[in-house]
Amino acid sequence: MPRFSVIVPCYKVQAFLPECLDSVLGQSFGDLELIAVDDCSPDGCGAILDEYAARDPRVTVLHLPENVGLGRARNAGLPHATGDYLFFLDSDDTLTPGALRAVADRLEETADPDVLVFDYARTYWWGGTRRNVLAHILAEAGAGTFTAAERPEILDLLMVVWNKVYRREFVAEHGFAFPPGYYEDTPWTFPVLLSARRIAALDRICLNYRQRRQGNILSTTSRKHFDVHDQYERVFAFVEQHPELAGWRPYLHRKMGEHCLDILAKPDRLPPADKAEFFRRTAELFRRHKPEGARAEGGTAVLEGSWTGYRLRRQTARAGREAARRAVQVRRAAGVRARAGWAAAHARRPLDPHLVVYSASSHQGLLGDPAAVYAAAREIAPQLRGVWVVQDAETAERLPSGVEHVVVGSRRYLEVTARATFFVNDVNWPGALAKRPGSVHVHTHRSTPLKYLGADLLDKPGARLGFDVPQMLRRADRWDYSLVANRYSELVWERAFPCHFTSVRTGSPRNDVLVNGGTGDFRERHGIPADHTVVLYAPTRRDYRRGGHVDRVDLARFAADLGEGHTLVVRLHPSLVNGPARGLGLTELDRREIVVDATGEPDVADVLLAADVLVTDYSGVMFDYANLDRPIVVHADDWPAYTASRGTYFDITAEPPGHVCRSHEELARLFGSGAWRDEESARLRAAFRARFCEFEDGRAAERVVRTLLLGEPMPEAESARIPGQAAAPDALAST
């Protein structure tokens, strides 16, 4: 008996069907049967299914003699299912890699619940991906099981059949089946969830919900959308047959009204001539099933009126939105004029020689080099007033107490940026910021460059998609100083940014804490045993994939390969913090304590200090981590694709900081044998440090403050030293 019976109804999807089937049959968890139902499809679906069945014994194909529709095609597959759990997958959607493994693990963890609800992402025909906006409901559901009564918010998720798996015996016990017609998921999902005694949640994106440009059934203009009324009649009939569910009637009544009004409001659903009839039938259904004493609230109240009243309300709402839109435009224009006048007034005042404005990572708070310079300035030059630019009030709340700040675009922002003498940033300032004569812009950068940047991207159209290189260079024209950690970076920055700045060999202020043997509390906060070897995996983003995220390492498998006494810490690229990437498995693995997700950690230095070894691909974090003089492993399984799409300044596989792996098997063998920290690793790392940590002596922040902010003579940086070794004599001479 297989663990999963995946039922796939097929009708006019020949272009998408192979991808769907491959996503199932290629899962790492293979204990499944795939029951494909050819719903008398007029295209090549039947032949495609037969080809797959001939190649894989797990595939069973049913050819229906006539087209019966999506719901009844699913019903046709049910009697052939023998698995513990049923999974209804639409034939134009796909499973994400590792989805069934994650579902199987969660089912085992929760002792086989009646229903398991998982997350999904919408994948658009133009290439975009958007995670379910209600994913937080799954994250907040907890580790155990629950009922709909205990967590009614579970019913707020999209009422579809394919974001869940169902215990087959539970379905058979209750006799659940799909009705004919559109919206057939509604009279399945509500009864199933209300009847389930044990529901579990999985906060992981297991399915890609394809948003087709055309051909989506529910986006077809047709009277078939009237089927929604019959489907809700079935829901209410089910509740009527189960008195214990009577308390759900007010909720279902409201949900029905909202659903029908949503269909009515969409321009591509109902023929215009049929909208009045649809409204009247919805209103009749709404009145007939209204619970005694209930009041229609919110938008559903319109169903107690007339079609004319509904249209007037819609027209009034549209007029109100248009008026509001115009009012916002007027206010914005007035605000722009007022801010321009405010900025111009302050620009006529002299520069404040003691005012330093800081920003990091596009105004995300005290981070990186600017934060290190700010801390050094407070100690060395307390007469300097440091003001941070943050992106919003929420970011401001995360700042340490006593840190002066302004929100970008505000009046105070305009005031301080008009009066400041010094600007310290690791990302270009907004284009609207005008550089006044006498002001000094210090650009710190965010890493030593491996991949192409700046003007070098002009020859890489994929890597600069949506990126205006000439505009970026105009902003870089404001730089006065560019900080470098080595002569290699100095040459790259001057090539990539052909602007009027002076390179200064200061070292990277953010790395002072690494060079000086700093400590952090990352291990303690995450409960990592003191005797564990911490393996940090920090991949970079990919320009050959929209969204930037590509799974190059099976994290669960890698963690298992490392074995006892190891903790795998994962830090994705900072640009992926709020996207769907973490929902593809990382969040769930972190919850199950298989890995530690450090993607959202604001202080990368704290993560680096906790790691005994770094595994990366082409991330610039390797150059910073090298300052710790600890082993580094480069996982370069897609190096040709990466360098072809993004462009790189040198071949990291030929001049690596440690051993290079090109497959998961090589990576596992390297750690299994202990070779990741052998003499060859140390030799490679020493050469890498000599080249790329050249000016990293642990005093970069002090050097920036004394020479660039206070105007003292510029001393040469000391040679890079191993963390914790005795400091060399002071090379900074005060004037």
Side-chain angles (χ1 to χ4, degrees):
M1 178 185 296
R3 190 58 164 159
F4 297 106
S5 293
V6 184
I7 299 176
V8 183
C10 309
Y11 183 75
K12 296 179 68 173
V13 288
Q14 64 178 10
F16 307 111
L17 184 55
E19 185 179 1
C20 171
L21 300 176
D22 289 341
S23 77
V24 177
L25 300 174
Q27 288 285 308
S28 58
F29 185 90
D31 187 14
L32 62 93
E33 62 181 4
L34 194 155
I35 302 168
V37 184
D38 172 17
D39 191 15
C40 200
S41 183
D43 59 6
C45 284
I48 292 172
L49 295 177
D50 289 339
E51 289 174 8
Y52 273 81
R55 295 199 304 263
D56 196 319
R58 295 175 297 173
V59 179
T60 299
V61 180
L62 306 178
H63 294 283
L64 302 186
E66 61 180 358
N67 178 252
V68 297
L70 184 58
R72 288 189 287 183
R74 289 172 180 154
N75 291 340
L78 274 173
H80 299 268
T82 63
D84 297 329
Y85 279 85
L86 302 172
F87 193 141
F88 298 100
L89 177 64
D90 286 355
S91 49
D92 55 352
D93 296 336
T94 57
L95 299 186
T96 60
L100 290 185
R101 174 80 269 172
V103 172
D105 289 344
R106 185 73 175 119
L107 291 174
E108 181 179 358
E109 183 182 31
T110 52
D112 285 6
D114 296 327
V115 181
L116 172 68
V117 187
F118 52 79
D119 200 14
Y120 66 91
R122 284 181 165 85
T123 55
Y124 295 88
W125 62 269
W126 42 266
T129 300
R130 181 167 65 89
R131 190 176 185 180
N132 168 25
V133 296
L134 297 178
H136 63 89
I137 293 176
L138 300 174
E140 296 163 1
T145 60
F146 53 90
T147 64
E150 292 167 337
R151 288 194 173 274
E153 62 271 19
I154 201 72
L155 298 176
D156 291 334
L157 296 172
L158 194 62
M159 281 292 104
V160 291
V161 67
W162 42 254
N163 64 346
K164 310 168 187 72
V165 294
Y166 313 86
R167 190 165 57 85
R168 184 170 57 86
E169 292 180 355
F170 163 71
V171 171
E173 173 190 347
H174 290 270
F176 295 126
F178 293 94
Y182 281 17
Y183 306 101
E184 75 291 334
D185 287 3
T186 298
W188 168 283
T189 308
F190 279 122
V192 164
L193 290 180
L194 296 181
S195 301
R197 292 179 293 275
R198 298 178 65 247
I199 303 171
L202 173 60
D203 180 24
R204 186 195 193 278
I205 298 172
C206 295
L207 182 140
N208 288 321
Y209 176 28
R210 189 188 300 273
Q211 306 295 288
R212 292 159 64 175
R213 184 171 181 267
Q214 58 183 10
N216 186 306
I217 293 176
L218 291 185
S219 295
T220 303
T221 303
S222 166
R223 282 186 60 86
K224 289 289 289 180
H225 294 283
F226 279 78
D227 288 352
V228 71
H229 301 126
D230 292 336
Q231 308 297 21
Y232 273 101
E233 288 283 18
R234 294 183 172 97
V235 173
F236 287 116
F238 181 85
V239 172
E240 189 72 27
Q241 295 164 10
H242 297 79
E244 71 276 11
L245 301 179
W248 287 101
R249 290 184 63 86
Y251 173 86
L252 294 171
H253 178 254
R254 175 177 60 82
K255 204 72 172 175
M256 179 272 294
E258 292 173 347
H259 191 175
C260 292
L261 287 173
D262 182 63
I263 294 170
L264 183 62
K266 283 185 165 56
D268 60 350
R269 299 295 172 90
L270 294 160
D274 295 324
K275 289 191 173 186
E277 179 186 353
F278 185 89
F279 176 87
R280 287 192 291 269
R281 287 184 56 179
T282 299
E284 179 185 349
L285 185 67
F286 192 74
R287 289 191 296 270
R288 186 164 63 252
H289 291 288
K290 182 178 180 180
E292 185 177 351
R295 296 177 55 188
E297 298 179 350
T300 59
V302 72
L303 291 170
E304 295 188 333
S306 64
W307 165 245
T308 301
Y310 168 81
R311 292 182 64 192
L312 288 174
R313 180 169 176 170
R314 292 271 297 173
Q315 291 169 359
T316 301
R318 280 196 295 269
R321 287 193 297 270
E322 179 61 22
R325 185 185 65 82
R326 291 178 179 176
V328 167
Q329 289 179 331
V330 170
R331 286 196 299 270
R332 284 178 178 171
V336 168
R337 289 193 296 270
R339 285 193 296 271
W342 182 265
H346 284 283
R348 289 191 289 270
R349 299 172 62 188
L351 294 176
D352 182 341
H354 297 114
L355 180 56
V356 187
V357 177
Y358 297 89
S359 180
S361 300
S362 300
H363 317 313
Q364 293 185 30
L366 269 72
L367 301 169
D369 289 325
V373 174
Y374 171 76
R378 294 187 70 173
E379 179 180 347
I380 298 169
Q383 71 273 23
L384 296 178
R385 173 191 170 199
V387 181
W388 280 84
V389 176
V390 295
Q391 60 185 352
D392 50 35
E394 183 179 350
T395 306
E397 291 177 359
R398 296 196 297 266
L399 296 176
S401 176
V403 174
E404 187 176 357
H405 64 275
V406 295
V407 176
V408 65
S410 66
R411 281 196 168 195
R412 288 195 61 228
Y413 164 81
L414 296 172
E415 177 183 347
V416 299
T417 54
R419 298 289 316 285
T421 295
F422 301 102
F423 293 79
V424 181
N425 198 350
D426 59 4
V427 177
N428 263 323
W429 291 97
L433 191 152
K435 187 178 190 300
R436 291 185 62 184
S439 65
V440 176
H441 283 238
V442 179
H443 194 79
T444 70
H445 304 285
R446 298 174 71 179
S447 71
T448 291
L450 170 62
K451 57 196 173 213
Y452 277 7
L453 295 166
D456 291 325
L457 290 175
L458 290 171
D459 192 39
K460 295 291 179 181
R464 60 180 172 86
L465 180 65
F467 184 63
D468 189 335
V469 174
Q471 181 188 68
M472 181 210 59
L473 295 178
R474 286 193 293 271
R475 295 178 180 182
D477 281 332
R478 293 175 295 196
W479 302 355
D480 291 290
Y481 298 107
S482 167
L483 307 189
V484 298
N486 46 68
R487 274 171 280 205
Y488 157 82
S489 293
E490 183 175 314
L491 296 176
V492 169
W493 297 134
E494 291 181 8
R495 162 182 158 167
F497 296 91
C499 305
H500 304 288
F501 60 80
T502 299
S503 295
V504 285
R505 299 175 176 180
T506 59
S508 302
R510 66 181 179 277
N511 289 334
D512 287 349
V513 66
L514 304 181
V515 177
N516 293 326
T519 59
D521 64 350
F522 180 85
R523 286 182 178 238
E524 180 181 354
R525 284 189 292 108
H526 290 276
I528 300 174
D531 61 345
H532 269 214
T533 297
V534 174
V535 180
L536 171 61
Y537 175 54
T540 192
R541 60 180 292 127
R542 300 304 199 269
D543 294 289
Y544 60 74
R545 177 70 60 85
R546 185 185 289 272
H549 178 67
V550 180
D551 282 319
R552 306 307 311 180
V553 171
D554 184 330
L555 299 178
R557 181 182 171 192
F558 186 30
D561 289 341
L562 291 173
E564 294 293 330
H566 294 77
T567 295
L568 178 59
V569 176
V570 181
R571 182 179 176 86
L572 302 183
H573 191 275
S575 65
L576 303 175
V577 171
N578 298 316
R582 295 165 81 183
L584 288 168
L586 180 55
T587 299
E588 175 64 9
L589 292 175
D590 178 83
R591 183 194 66 79
R592 294 171 54 203
E593 299 183 351
I594 293 175
V595 306
V596 174
D597 179 11
T599 305
E601 289 283 332
D603 186 1
V604 66
D606 199 17
V607 183
L608 299 182
L609 287 166
D612 296 299
V613 54
L614 170 68
V615 179
T616 186
D617 36 37
Y618 326 115
S619 171
V621 75
M622 74 176 82
F623 298 96
D624 294 350
Y625 189 76
N627 285 283
L628 290 170
D629 198 26
R630 299 174 189 172
I632 300 173
V633 174
V634 175
H635 184 64
D637 66 330
D638 67 339
W639 174 249
Y642 183 85
T643 191
S645 61
R646 179 60 191 246
T648 55
Y649 291 109
F650 70 96
D651 186 350
I652 191 65
T653 66
E655 304 174 75
H659 289 293
V660 177
C661 297
R662 299 184 186 274
S663 69
H664 186 103
E665 289 71 25
E666 289 184 17
L667 186 63
R669 283 197 298 270
L670 189 71
F671 277 90
S673 65
W676 58 274
R677 53 183 172 186
D678 62 11
E679 292 183 3
E680 177 65 7
S681 170
R683 185 190 68 78
L684 292 169
R685 186 169 68 255
F688 192 84
R689 281 172 45 78
R691 182 181 182 189
F692 297 111
C693 302
E694 186 178 6
F695 305 139
E696 304 279 39
D697 64 352
R699 307 188 68 182
E702 179 184 2
R703 187 173 292 106
V704 171
V705 173
R706 291 194 184 280
T707 62
L708 302 185
L709 303 187
L710 298 181
E712 297 176 2
M714 179 68 184
E716 287 292 329
E718 301 171 13
S719 298
R721 60 188 179 87
I722 296 175
Q725 73 180 33
D730 191 354
L732 293 169
S734 300
T735 55

